Amino acid sequence: MHLTTVSLVLLHIASAQADLPQARIVSLNVDPEQVVVLHLRPGYVSSVRVLEEVSSVVLGDPGAFRADHSEAEPQLVFFKSNQRKTCANNALITTRGSHEISLSLVSQGKSDRSEPVDYVLNCERRTAF
């Protein structure tokens, strides 16, 4: 009896883990002339951390994606997909130091579980010698 219960619990845990997307934490040296791809998924939030305080965030289509920024976390911007289907959009983050980060937001929707989700994107600057 107990062995059957344990087996069922382990099977349930394994199937729940199979439904989880491949989660990534990405650190990139961001070039101002480069567009950074952020992989999203409905039901998950992705955060973008920049080195300076954020002054503004603009979305190409606010109906497809949502962006949140709080003065309590001045270097973080949170993105979520509002669509259950595959969609793409762009976003622009501007910092108080007048730096810009161009993002391409991509969501494969609920059906495609093979694509990764960027939980955190750390934007770093290129270092000069």
PDB file of all heavy atoms in Angstrom, residues 21-24 26 28 36-42 44-48 65 79-81 87 103-109 114-121:
ATOM      1  N   PRO A  21       9.249  24.605 -18.119  1.00  0.00           N
ATOM      2  CA  PRO A  21      10.123  24.971 -19.227  1.00  0.00           C
ATOM      3  C   PRO A  21      11.586  24.946 -18.782  1.00  0.00           C
ATOM      4  O   PRO A  21      11.881  24.923 -17.588  1.00  0.00           O
ATOM      5  CB  PRO A  21       9.684  26.405 -19.535  1.00  0.00           C
ATOM      6  CG  PRO A  21       9.215  26.929 -18.221  1.00  0.00           C
ATOM      7  CD  PRO A  21       8.570  25.751 -17.534  1.00  0.00           C
ATOM      8  N   GLN A  22      12.459  24.952 -19.762  1.00  0.00           N
ATOM      9  CA  GLN A  22      13.881  25.079 -19.466  1.00  0.00           C
ATOM     10  C   GLN A  22      14.117  26.515 -19.000  1.00  0.00           C
ATOM     11  O   GLN A  22      13.973  27.456 -19.775  1.00  0.00           O
ATOM     12  CB  GLN A  22      14.717  24.776 -20.710  1.00  0.00           C
ATOM     13  CG  GLN A  22      16.185  24.983 -20.485  1.00  0.00           C
ATOM     14  CD  GLN A  22      16.975  24.950 -21.769  1.00  0.00           C
ATOM     15  OE1 GLN A  22      16.456  24.643 -22.834  1.00  0.00           O
ATOM     16  NE2 GLN A  22      18.229  25.286 -21.684  1.00  0.00           N
ATOM     17  N   ALA A  23      14.427  26.694 -17.738  1.00  0.00           N
ATOM     18  CA  ALA A  23      14.614  28.032 -17.164  1.00  0.00           C
ATOM     19  C   ALA A  23      16.061  28.458 -17.331  1.00  0.00           C
ATOM     20  O   ALA A  23      16.982  27.668 -17.121  1.00  0.00           O
ATOM     21  CB  ALA A  23      14.243  28.013 -15.690  1.00  0.00           C
ATOM     22  N   ARG A  24      16.246  29.734 -17.718  1.00  0.00           N
ATOM     23  CA  ARG A  24      17.606  30.238 -17.910  1.00  0.00           C
ATOM     24  C   ARG A  24      17.800  31.553 -17.168  1.00  0.00           C
ATOM     25  O   ARG A  24      16.878  32.362 -17.065  1.00  0.00           O
ATOM     26  CB  ARG A  24      17.897  30.496 -19.391  1.00  0.00           C
ATOM     27  CG  ARG A  24      17.824  29.275 -20.245  1.00  0.00           C
ATOM     28  CD  ARG A  24      18.343  29.485 -21.618  1.00  0.00           C
ATOM     29  NE  ARG A  24      17.736  30.619 -22.292  1.00  0.00           N
ATOM     30  CZ  ARG A  24      17.919  30.900 -23.582  1.00  0.00           C
ATOM     31  NH1 ARG A  24      18.671  30.122 -24.327  1.00  0.00           N
ATOM     32  NH2 ARG A  24      17.352  31.953 -24.138  1.00  0.00           N
ATOM     33  N   VAL A  26      20.460  34.521 -17.836  1.00  0.00           N
ATOM     34  CA  VAL A  26      21.398  34.899 -18.887  1.00  0.00           C
ATOM     35  C   VAL A  26      22.094  36.196 -18.505  1.00  0.00           C
ATOM     36  O   VAL A  26      21.445  37.145 -18.069  1.00  0.00           O
ATOM     37  CB  VAL A  26      20.650  35.085 -20.230  1.00  0.00           C
ATOM     38  CG1 VAL A  26      21.603  35.468 -21.341  1.00  0.00           C
ATOM     39  CG2 VAL A  26      19.879  33.832 -20.592  1.00  0.00           C
ATOM     40  N   LEU A  28      24.539  39.053 -20.303  1.00  0.00           N
ATOM     41  CA  LEU A  28      25.019  39.479 -21.619  1.00  0.00           C
ATOM     42  C   LEU A  28      25.752  40.802 -21.536  1.00  0.00           C
ATOM     43  O   LEU A  28      25.352  41.694 -20.793  1.00  0.00           O
ATOM     44  CB  LEU A  28      23.834  39.680 -22.578  1.00  0.00           C
ATOM     45  CG  LEU A  28      23.064  38.477 -23.043  1.00  0.00           C
ATOM     46  CD1 LEU A  28      21.893  38.928 -23.905  1.00  0.00           C
ATOM     47  CD2 LEU A  28      23.945  37.550 -23.850  1.00  0.00           C
ATOM     48  N   VAL A  36      18.588  42.589 -28.149  1.00  0.00           N
ATOM     49  CA  VAL A  36      18.672  41.430 -27.260  1.00  0.00           C
ATOM     50  C   VAL A  36      17.331  40.696 -27.288  1.00  0.00           C
ATOM     51  O   VAL A  36      16.279  41.311 -27.151  1.00  0.00           O
ATOM     52  CB  VAL A  36      19.001  41.875 -25.817  1.00  0.00           C
ATOM     53  CG1 VAL A  36      19.028  40.681 -24.879  1.00  0.00           C
ATOM     54  CG2 VAL A  36      20.315  42.634 -25.783  1.00  0.00           C
ATOM     55  N   VAL A  37      17.379  39.375 -27.472  1.00  0.00           N
ATOM     56  CA  VAL A  37      16.158  38.566 -27.491  1.00  0.00           C
ATOM     57  C   VAL A  37      15.867  38.078 -26.080  1.00  0.00           C
ATOM     58  O   VAL A  37      16.738  37.513 -25.410  1.00  0.00           O
ATOM     59  CB  VAL A  37      16.299  37.368 -28.452  1.00  0.00           C
ATOM     60  CG1 VAL A  37      15.047  36.497 -28.406  1.00  0.00           C
ATOM     61  CG2 VAL A  37      16.563  37.848 -29.866  1.00  0.00           C
ATOM     62  N   LEU A  38      14.630  38.310 -25.626  1.00  0.00           N
ATOM     63  CA  LEU A  38      14.161  37.840 -24.323  1.00  0.00           C
ATOM     64  C   LEU A  38      13.066  36.813 -24.576  1.00  0.00           C
ATOM     65  O   LEU A  38      12.036  37.123 -25.180  1.00  0.00           O
ATOM     66  CB  LEU A  38      13.628  39.008 -23.492  1.00  0.00           C
ATOM     67  CG  LEU A  38      13.172  38.691 -22.076  1.00  0.00           C
ATOM     68  CD1 LEU A  38      14.337  38.204 -21.223  1.00  0.00           C
ATOM     69  CD2 LEU A  38      12.536  39.916 -21.439  1.00  0.00           C
ATOM     70  N   HIS A  39      13.303  35.571 -24.142  1.00  0.00           N
ATOM     71  CA  HIS A  39      12.350  34.482 -24.339  1.00  0.00           C
ATOM     72  C   HIS A  39      11.381  34.435 -23.165  1.00  0.00           C
ATOM     73  O   HIS A  39      11.787  34.235 -22.023  1.00  0.00           O
ATOM     74  CB  HIS A  39      13.083  33.144 -24.462  1.00  0.00           C
ATOM     75  CG  HIS A  39      13.997  33.092 -25.643  1.00  0.00           C
ATOM     76  ND1 HIS A  39      15.316  33.463 -25.571  1.00  0.00           N
ATOM     77  CD2 HIS A  39      13.762  32.746 -26.917  1.00  0.00           C
ATOM     78  CE1 HIS A  39      15.864  33.329 -26.762  1.00  0.00           C
ATOM     79  NE2 HIS A  39      14.943  32.892 -27.599  1.00  0.00           N
ATOM     80  N   LEU A  40      10.096  34.603 -23.464  1.00  0.00           N
ATOM     81  CA  LEU A  40       9.040  34.638 -22.451  1.00  0.00           C
ATOM     82  C   LEU A  40       8.085  33.472 -22.650  1.00  0.00           C
ATOM     83  O   LEU A  40       8.127  32.782 -23.673  1.00  0.00           O
ATOM     84  CB  LEU A  40       8.269  35.956 -22.553  1.00  0.00           C
ATOM     85  CG  LEU A  40       9.121  37.205 -22.329  1.00  0.00           C
ATOM     86  CD1 LEU A  40       8.604  38.348 -23.150  1.00  0.00           C
ATOM     87  CD2 LEU A  40       9.143  37.556 -20.874  1.00  0.00           C
ATOM     88  N   ARG A  41       7.184  33.309 -21.671  1.00  0.00           N
ATOM     89  CA  ARG A  41       6.151  32.279 -21.778  1.00  0.00           C
ATOM     90  C   ARG A  41       4.971  32.707 -20.930  1.00  0.00           C
ATOM     91  O   ARG A  41       5.147  33.232 -19.831  1.00  0.00           O
ATOM     92  CB  ARG A  41       6.706  30.952 -21.279  1.00  0.00           C
ATOM     93  CG  ARG A  41       5.745  29.820 -21.473  1.00  0.00           C
ATOM     94  CD  ARG A  41       6.490  28.528 -21.417  1.00  0.00           C
ATOM     95  NE  ARG A  41       5.571  27.436 -21.317  1.00  0.00           N
ATOM     96  CZ  ARG A  41       5.877  26.258 -20.839  1.00  0.00           C
ATOM     97  NH1 ARG A  41       7.086  26.025 -20.393  1.00  0.00           N
ATOM     98  NH2 ARG A  41       4.996  25.313 -20.797  1.00  0.00           N
ATOM     99  N   PRO A  42       3.753  32.501 -21.415  1.00  0.00           N
ATOM    100  CA  PRO A  42       2.577  32.855 -20.617  1.00  0.00           C
ATOM    101  C   PRO A  42       2.619  32.169 -19.246  1.00  0.00           C
ATOM    102  O   PRO A  42       2.983  31.004 -19.142  1.00  0.00           O
ATOM    103  CB  PRO A  42       1.397  32.345 -21.445  1.00  0.00           C
ATOM    104  CG  PRO A  42       1.912  32.250 -22.833  1.00  0.00           C
ATOM    105  CD  PRO A  42       3.373  31.912 -22.707  1.00  0.00           C
ATOM    106  N   TYR A  44       4.607  33.054 -16.785  1.00  0.00           N
ATOM    107  CA  TYR A  44       5.915  33.246 -16.169  1.00  0.00           C
ATOM    108  C   TYR A  44       6.314  34.709 -16.292  1.00  0.00           C
ATOM    109  O   TYR A  44       5.937  35.384 -17.238  1.00  0.00           O
ATOM    110  CB  TYR A  44       6.985  32.381 -16.855  1.00  0.00           C
ATOM    111  CG  TYR A  44       6.785  30.910 -16.608  1.00  0.00           C
ATOM    112  CD1 TYR A  44       5.901  30.169 -17.392  1.00  0.00           C
ATOM    113  CD2 TYR A  44       7.462  30.264 -15.582  1.00  0.00           C
ATOM    114  CE1 TYR A  44       5.706  28.820 -17.157  1.00  0.00           C
ATOM    115  CE2 TYR A  44       7.270  28.908 -15.344  1.00  0.00           C
ATOM    116  CZ  TYR A  44       6.386  28.193 -16.137  1.00  0.00           C
ATOM    117  OH  TYR A  44       6.194  26.872 -15.897  1.00  0.00           O
ATOM    118  N   VAL A  45       7.102  35.185 -15.338  1.00  0.00           N
ATOM    119  CA  VAL A  45       7.620  36.544 -15.390  1.00  0.00           C
ATOM    120  C   VAL A  45       9.125  36.467 -15.654  1.00  0.00           C
ATOM    121  O   VAL A  45       9.802  35.562 -15.167  1.00  0.00           O
ATOM    122  CB  VAL A  45       7.313  37.323 -14.088  1.00  0.00           C
ATOM    123  CG1 VAL A  45       8.047  36.731 -12.899  1.00  0.00           C
ATOM    124  CG2 VAL A  45       7.648  38.781 -14.245  1.00  0.00           C
ATOM    125  N   SER A  46       9.607  37.387 -16.452  1.00  0.00           N
ATOM    126  CA  SER A  46      11.038  37.493 -16.734  1.00  0.00           C
ATOM    127  C   SER A  46      11.504  38.865 -16.280  1.00  0.00           C
ATOM    128  O   SER A  46      10.808  39.858 -16.484  1.00  0.00           O
ATOM    129  CB  SER A  46      11.305  37.335 -18.234  1.00  0.00           C
ATOM    130  OG  SER A  46      10.924  36.052 -18.668  1.00  0.00           O
ATOM    131  N   SER A  47      12.663  38.913 -15.660  1.00  0.00           N
ATOM    132  CA  SER A  47      13.182  40.202 -15.204  1.00  0.00           C
ATOM    133  C   SER A  47      14.448  40.552 -15.967  1.00  0.00           C
ATOM    134  O   SER A  47      15.254  39.679 -16.298  1.00  0.00           O
ATOM    135  CB  SER A  47      13.446  40.190 -13.703  1.00  0.00           C
ATOM    136  OG  SER A  47      14.466  39.281 -13.375  1.00  0.00           O
ATOM    137  N   VAL A  48      14.581  41.840 -16.254  1.00  0.00           N
ATOM    138  CA  VAL A  48      15.770  42.372 -16.911  1.00  0.00           C
ATOM    139  C   VAL A  48      16.429  43.314 -15.917  1.00  0.00           C
ATOM    140  O   VAL A  48      15.800  44.244 -15.423  1.00  0.00           O
ATOM    141  CB  VAL A  48      15.414  43.123 -18.214  1.00  0.00           C
ATOM    142  CG1 VAL A  48      16.650  43.755 -18.832  1.00  0.00           C
ATOM    143  CG2 VAL A  48      14.747  42.168 -19.205  1.00  0.00           C
ATOM    144  N   PHE A  65       2.173  42.091 -24.562  1.00  0.00           N
ATOM    145  CA  PHE A  65       3.096  41.917 -23.454  1.00  0.00           C
ATOM    146  C   PHE A  65       2.860  43.006 -22.417  1.00  0.00           C
ATOM    147  O   PHE A  65       2.298  44.052 -22.720  1.00  0.00           O
ATOM    148  CB  PHE A  65       4.549  41.990 -23.941  1.00  0.00           C
ATOM    149  CG  PHE A  65       4.950  40.844 -24.817  1.00  0.00           C
ATOM    150  CD1 PHE A  65       4.771  40.913 -26.187  1.00  0.00           C
ATOM    151  CD2 PHE A  65       5.500  39.698 -24.274  1.00  0.00           C
ATOM    152  CE1 PHE A  65       5.140  39.862 -27.002  1.00  0.00           C
ATOM    153  CE2 PHE A  65       5.862  38.640 -25.091  1.00  0.00           C
ATOM    154  CZ  PHE A  65       5.686  38.720 -26.454  1.00  0.00           C
ATOM    155  N   PHE A  79       8.843  41.627 -17.353  1.00  0.00           N
ATOM    156  CA  PHE A  79       8.050  41.426 -18.572  1.00  0.00           C
ATOM    157  C   PHE A  79       7.234  40.156 -18.446  1.00  0.00           C
ATOM    158  O   PHE A  79       7.699  39.145 -17.910  1.00  0.00           O
ATOM    159  CB  PHE A  79       8.957  41.304 -19.798  1.00  0.00           C
ATOM    160  CG  PHE A  79       9.650  42.583 -20.175  1.00  0.00           C
ATOM    161  CD1 PHE A  79      10.937  42.840 -19.726  1.00  0.00           C
ATOM    162  CD2 PHE A  79       9.020  43.520 -20.966  1.00  0.00           C
ATOM    163  CE1 PHE A  79      11.586  44.014 -20.068  1.00  0.00           C
ATOM    164  CE2 PHE A  79       9.655  44.699 -21.310  1.00  0.00           C
ATOM    165  CZ  PHE A  79      10.942  44.955 -20.863  1.00  0.00           C
ATOM    166  N   LYS A  80       5.992  40.200 -18.968  1.00  0.00           N
ATOM    167  CA  LYS A  80       5.103  39.033 -19.014  1.00  0.00           C
ATOM    168  C   LYS A  80       4.400  39.012 -20.364  1.00  0.00           C
ATOM    169  O   LYS A  80       4.073  40.055 -20.912  1.00  0.00           O
ATOM    170  CB  LYS A  80       4.046  39.107 -17.912  1.00  0.00           C
ATOM    171  CG  LYS A  80       4.567  38.838 -16.529  1.00  0.00           C
ATOM    172  CD  LYS A  80       3.450  38.804 -15.535  1.00  0.00           C
ATOM    173  CE  LYS A  80       2.793  37.449 -15.610  1.00  0.00           C
ATOM    174  NZ  LYS A  80       1.834  37.175 -14.559  1.00  0.00           N
ATOM    175  N   SER A  81       4.144  37.813 -20.852  1.00  0.00           N
ATOM    176  CA  SER A  81       3.358  37.648 -22.066  1.00  0.00           C
ATOM    177  C   SER A  81       1.880  37.610 -21.690  1.00  0.00           C
ATOM    178  O   SER A  81       1.490  36.895 -20.772  1.00  0.00           O
ATOM    179  CB  SER A  81       3.744  36.359 -22.782  1.00  0.00           C
ATOM    180  OG  SER A  81       2.887  36.137 -23.876  1.00  0.00           O
ATOM    181  N   CYS A  87       3.712  34.836 -30.081  1.00  0.00           N
ATOM    182  CA  CYS A  87       3.704  36.259 -30.421  1.00  0.00           C
ATOM    183  C   CYS A  87       5.102  36.850 -30.217  1.00  0.00           C
ATOM    184  O   CYS A  87       5.945  36.266 -29.536  1.00  0.00           O
ATOM    185  CB  CYS A  87       2.663  37.028 -29.619  1.00  0.00           C
ATOM    186  SG  CYS A  87       2.861  36.937 -27.841  1.00  0.00           S
ATOM    187  N   LEU A 103      15.075  45.452 -26.951  1.00  0.00           N
ATOM    188  CA  LEU A 103      14.718  44.055 -26.732  1.00  0.00           C
ATOM    189  C   LEU A 103      13.743  43.569 -27.788  1.00  0.00           C
ATOM    190  O   LEU A 103      12.860  44.311 -28.215  1.00  0.00           O
ATOM    191  CB  LEU A 103      14.054  43.883 -25.359  1.00  0.00           C
ATOM    192  CG  LEU A 103      14.874  44.228 -24.130  1.00  0.00           C
ATOM    193  CD1 LEU A 103      13.981  44.281 -22.909  1.00  0.00           C
ATOM    194  CD2 LEU A 103      15.964  43.199 -23.927  1.00  0.00           C
ATOM    195  N   SER A 104      13.913  42.324 -28.168  1.00  0.00           N
ATOM    196  CA  SER A 104      12.921  41.627 -28.973  1.00  0.00           C
ATOM    197  C   SER A 104      12.287  40.605 -28.047  1.00  0.00           C
ATOM    198  O   SER A 104      12.964  39.704 -27.544  1.00  0.00           O
ATOM    199  CB  SER A 104      13.593  40.945 -30.166  1.00  0.00           C
ATOM    200  OG  SER A 104      12.649  40.269 -30.940  1.00  0.00           O
ATOM    201  N   LEU A 105      10.999  40.777 -27.759  1.00  0.00           N
ATOM    202  CA  LEU A 105      10.277  39.884 -26.860  1.00  0.00           C
ATOM    203  C   LEU A 105       9.643  38.769 -27.684  1.00  0.00           C
ATOM    204  O   LEU A 105       8.910  39.031 -28.631  1.00  0.00           O
ATOM    205  CB  LEU A 105       9.194  40.659 -26.108  1.00  0.00           C
ATOM    206  CG  LEU A 105       9.645  41.935 -25.395  1.00  0.00           C
ATOM    207  CD1 LEU A 105       8.442  42.644 -24.781  1.00  0.00           C
ATOM    208  CD2 LEU A 105      10.694  41.646 -24.362  1.00  0.00           C
ATOM    209  N   VAL A 106       9.913  37.522 -27.304  1.00  0.00           N
ATOM    210  CA  VAL A 106       9.417  36.376 -28.056  1.00  0.00           C
ATOM    211  C   VAL A 106       8.754  35.405 -27.094  1.00  0.00           C
ATOM    212  O   VAL A 106       9.342  35.023 -26.084  1.00  0.00           O
ATOM    213  CB  VAL A 106      10.570  35.658 -28.799  1.00  0.00           C
ATOM    214  CG1 VAL A 106      10.064  34.428 -29.526  1.00  0.00           C
ATOM    215  CG2 VAL A 106      11.274  36.604 -29.747  1.00  0.00           C
ATOM    216  N   SER A 107       7.516  35.017 -27.404  1.00  0.00           N
ATOM    217  CA  SER A 107       6.805  34.010 -26.620  1.00  0.00           C
ATOM    218  C   SER A 107       6.270  32.947 -27.563  1.00  0.00           C
ATOM    219  O   SER A 107       5.601  33.268 -28.544  1.00  0.00           O
ATOM    220  CB  SER A 107       5.646  34.644 -25.845  1.00  0.00           C
ATOM    221  OG  SER A 107       4.906  33.644 -25.185  1.00  0.00           O
ATOM    222  N   GLN A 108       6.592  31.702 -27.274  1.00  0.00           N
ATOM    223  CA  GLN A 108       6.116  30.590 -28.097  1.00  0.00           C
ATOM    224  C   GLN A 108       4.726  30.132 -27.691  1.00  0.00           C
ATOM    225  O   GLN A 108       4.196  29.195 -28.251  1.00  0.00           O
ATOM    226  CB  GLN A 108       7.103  29.419 -28.026  1.00  0.00           C
ATOM    227  CG  GLN A 108       8.469  29.732 -28.573  1.00  0.00           C
ATOM    228  CD  GLN A 108       8.435  30.150 -30.027  1.00  0.00           C
ATOM    229  OE1 GLN A 108       7.623  29.677 -30.818  1.00  0.00           O
ATOM    230  NE2 GLN A 108       9.317  31.064 -30.391  1.00  0.00           N
ATOM    231  N   GLY A 109       4.143  30.776 -26.698  1.00  0.00           N
ATOM    232  CA  GLY A 109       2.803  30.405 -26.270  1.00  0.00           C
ATOM    233  C   GLY A 109       2.802  29.225 -25.323  1.00  0.00           C
ATOM    234  O   GLY A 109       3.834  28.718 -24.924  1.00  0.00           O
ATOM    235  N   SER A 114       9.173  23.239 -25.591  1.00  0.00           N
ATOM    236  CA  SER A 114      10.573  22.960 -25.888  1.00  0.00           C
ATOM    237  C   SER A 114      11.447  24.207 -25.806  1.00  0.00           C
ATOM    238  O   SER A 114      12.650  24.110 -25.619  1.00  0.00           O
ATOM    239  CB  SER A 114      10.695  22.333 -27.280  1.00  0.00           C
ATOM    240  OG  SER A 114      10.287  23.280 -28.266  1.00  0.00           O
ATOM    241  N   GLU A 115      10.847  25.371 -25.950  1.00  0.00           N
ATOM    242  CA  GLU A 115      11.617  26.610 -25.920  1.00  0.00           C
ATOM    243  C   GLU A 115      11.934  27.023 -24.489  1.00  0.00           C
ATOM    244  O   GLU A 115      11.116  26.855 -23.596  1.00  0.00           O
ATOM    245  CB  GLU A 115      10.839  27.737 -26.617  1.00  0.00           C
ATOM    246  CG  GLU A 115      10.751  27.570 -28.111  1.00  0.00           C
ATOM    247  CD  GLU A 115      12.106  27.644 -28.801  1.00  0.00           C
ATOM    248  OE1 GLU A 115      12.897  28.541 -28.483  1.00  0.00           O
ATOM    249  OE2 GLU A 115      12.366  26.780 -29.650  1.00  0.00           O
ATOM    250  N   PRO A 116      13.119  27.605 -24.265  1.00  0.00           N
ATOM    251  CA  PRO A 116      13.485  28.041 -22.918  1.00  0.00           C
ATOM    252  C   PRO A 116      12.755  29.321 -22.513  1.00  0.00           C
ATOM    253  O   PRO A 116      12.182  30.016 -23.343  1.00  0.00           O
ATOM    254  CB  PRO A 116      14.983  28.310 -23.049  1.00  0.00           C
ATOM    255  CG  PRO A 116      15.159  28.693 -24.481  1.00  0.00           C
ATOM    256  CD  PRO A 116      14.156  27.853 -25.246  1.00  0.00           C
ATOM    257  N   VAL A 117      12.793  29.599 -21.224  1.00  0.00           N
ATOM    258  CA  VAL A 117      12.257  30.845 -20.683  1.00  0.00           C
ATOM    259  C   VAL A 117      13.399  31.550 -19.960  1.00  0.00           C
ATOM    260  O   VAL A 117      14.073  30.940 -19.128  1.00  0.00           O
ATOM    261  CB  VAL A 117      11.092  30.579 -19.700  1.00  0.00           C
ATOM    262  CG1 VAL A 117      10.624  31.882 -19.063  1.00  0.00           C
ATOM    263  CG2 VAL A 117       9.950  29.895 -20.405  1.00  0.00           C
ATOM    264  N   ASP A 118      13.616  32.808 -20.290  1.00  0.00           N
ATOM    265  CA  ASP A 118      14.641  33.591 -19.610  1.00  0.00           C
ATOM    266  C   ASP A 118      14.031  34.157 -18.330  1.00  0.00           C
ATOM    267  O   ASP A 118      13.264  35.107 -18.377  1.00  0.00           O
ATOM    268  CB  ASP A 118      15.137  34.729 -20.511  1.00  0.00           C
ATOM    269  CG  ASP A 118      15.821  34.215 -21.759  1.00  0.00           C
ATOM    270  OD1 ASP A 118      16.373  33.093 -21.715  1.00  0.00           O
ATOM    271  OD2 ASP A 118      15.810  34.925 -22.775  1.00  0.00           O
ATOM    272  N   TYR A 119      14.347  33.548 -17.202  1.00  0.00           N
ATOM    273  CA  TYR A 119      13.830  34.027 -15.924  1.00  0.00           C
ATOM    274  C   TYR A 119      14.482  35.362 -15.569  1.00  0.00           C
ATOM    275  O   TYR A 119      13.823  36.253 -15.076  1.00  0.00           O
ATOM    276  CB  TYR A 119      14.111  33.017 -14.822  1.00  0.00           C
ATOM    277  CG  TYR A 119      13.141  31.858 -14.745  1.00  0.00           C
ATOM    278  CD1 TYR A 119      12.392  31.459 -15.842  1.00  0.00           C
ATOM    279  CD2 TYR A 119      12.984  31.146 -13.576  1.00  0.00           C
ATOM    280  CE1 TYR A 119      11.520  30.400 -15.765  1.00  0.00           C
ATOM    281  CE2 TYR A 119      12.117  30.083 -13.479  1.00  0.00           C
ATOM    282  CZ  TYR A 119      11.386  29.710 -14.580  1.00  0.00           C
ATOM    283  OH  TYR A 119      10.513  28.663 -14.501  1.00  0.00           O
ATOM    284  N   VAL A 120      15.796  35.451 -15.800  1.00  0.00           N
ATOM    285  CA  VAL A 120      16.544  36.671 -15.495  1.00  0.00           C
ATOM    286  C   VAL A 120      17.500  36.962 -16.640  1.00  0.00           C
ATOM    287  O   VAL A 120      18.173  36.056 -17.142  1.00  0.00           O
ATOM    288  CB  VAL A 120      17.361  36.530 -14.188  1.00  0.00           C
ATOM    289  CG1 VAL A 120      18.163  37.793 -13.895  1.00  0.00           C
ATOM    290  CG2 VAL A 120      16.472  36.173 -13.009  1.00  0.00           C
ATOM    291  N   LEU A 121      17.527  38.220 -17.057  1.00  0.00           N
ATOM    292  CA  LEU A 121      18.493  38.686 -18.047  1.00  0.00           C
ATOM    293  C   LEU A 121      19.304  39.796 -17.398  1.00  0.00           C
ATOM    294  O   LEU A 121      18.765  40.859 -17.072  1.00  0.00           O
ATOM    295  CB  LEU A 121      17.786  39.205 -19.301  1.00  0.00           C
ATOM    296  CG  LEU A 121      18.656  39.864 -20.360  1.00  0.00           C
ATOM    297  CD1 LEU A 121      19.678  38.886 -20.921  1.00  0.00           C
ATOM    298  CD2 LEU A 121      17.798  40.438 -21.465  1.00  0.00           C
TER     299      LEU A 121
END
